[in-house]
Amino acid sequence: MSDQREFWNERYEREGYFYGKEPNRYLASHIDTLEAGKEILFLGEGEGRNAVYAAKAGHRVTALDASDIGLAKASALAQSAGCTITCIHADLEEWEPSGHYDAIFCSFLHLAEPLRSDVFSKMIQHLKSGGLFAGEFFSIHQLPRTTGGPKDETLLYTADALRSILEHTPCEILELCEIETELNEGRGHIGIASVVRMAVRK
């Protein structure tokens, strides 16, 4: 994962916020349904836009990322917004959750197998009963597009592949679909993109 850490540090050390300061719209739509005061974990949170949005809504927020530069910018964004987030600098392949969460969110988390299955299963295990796990990911149909996402098919998603992971975990699938959506997230995600959206409840 050291190569990935270097990749993201190089991206986040650029001036400004590469993916903007506003939250991913799909995650925000789920955050908006939660009562204040929930314990929320954000995976691969980068520069903190989603975590800060949740913290401003009154939640207790933890942001995890492999990039120390991204997390430093996340902390600065939280401070400028007058809220607090807890940052964990760690690789997902090594990190072990120590508690349980009311909700776990991620946007455009690029994981290949078998790490993807391991992480998704582990996250559902660490949800509280009734907890929500939701994310938006680039689909394999995003590969030829220039509106964001990796150029490595092993890091892209299909709804069927996610379903095969979720079928082996104790959860209810609330939404699992592939759609086209228009992204407007900083200078990193701009334009029509093919995404997979997932929401499950434990």
Side-chain angles (χ1 to χ4, degrees):
M1 293 293 285
S2 60
D3 290 344
Q4 282 296 308
R5 182 174 297 183
E6 291 175 7
F7 172 86
W8 290 111
N9 272 342
E10 181 179 346
R11 175 156 294 183
Y12 293 144
E13 72 183 358
R14 304 174 191 179
E15 184 178 354
Y17 284 74
F18 194 78
Y19 299 105
K21 298 180 180 180
E22 297 302 314
N24 172 269
R25 287 178 298 181
Y26 182 67
L27 295 196
S29 72
H30 284 289
I31 294 167
D32 291 346
T33 68
L34 301 175
E35 296 179 1
K38 298 299 184 183
E39 195 80 31
I40 304 178
L41 170 67
F42 290 87
L43 303 176
E45 177 54 12
E47 299 168 304
R49 59 197 176 100
N50 303 304
V52 169
Y53 181 82
K56 288 169 61 178
H59 300 293
R60 300 186 301 276
V61 174
T62 298
L64 182 145
D65 202 90
S67 169
D68 54 320
I69 293 176
L71 290 176
K73 294 173 79 171
S75 294
L77 185 62
Q79 184 175 12
S80 68
C83 60
T84 301
I85 63 174
T86 298
C87 292
I88 297 176
H89 179 218
D91 292 332
L92 274 171
E93 65 181 0
E94 302 168 353
W95 181 69
E96 292 293 334
S98 59
H100 288 75
Y101 300 89
D102 296 295
I104 299 173
F105 295 117
C106 49
S107 64
F108 307 115
L109 183 67
H110 309 318
L111 299 178
E113 291 292 4
L115 181 60
R116 182 186 301 176
S117 290
D118 292 343
V119 167
F120 277 56
S121 298
K122 185 185 298 182
M123 291 307 105
I124 291 173
Q125 291 172 15
H126 283 271
L127 280 176
K128 297 176 183 178
S129 179
L132 176 69
F133 180 26
E136 182 169 76
F137 315 93
F138 283 118
S139 89
I140 60 170
H141 297 106
Q142 179 68 10
L143 192 61
R145 295 179 171 175
T146 59
T147 52
K151 299 307 177 187
D152 180 349
E153 190 170 328
T154 67
L155 299 176
L156 301 173
Y157 291 68
T158 68
D160 286 343
L162 281 186
R163 190 181 305 278
S164 68
I165 298 172
L166 299 171
E167 285 175 346
H168 300 288
T169 60
C171 67
E172 175 192 1
I173 298 176
L174 305 177
E175 181 177 18
L176 184 56
C177 63
E178 181 178 332
I179 68 164
E180 288 193 347
T181 188
E182 185 169 2
L183 299 178
N184 184 17
E185 300 181 341
R187 60 186 184 275
H189 297 157
I190 303 175
I192 301 298
S194 178
V195 302
V196 174
R197 289 176 170 174
M198 176 205 77
V200 303
R201 190 170 303 283
K202 185 172 180 180

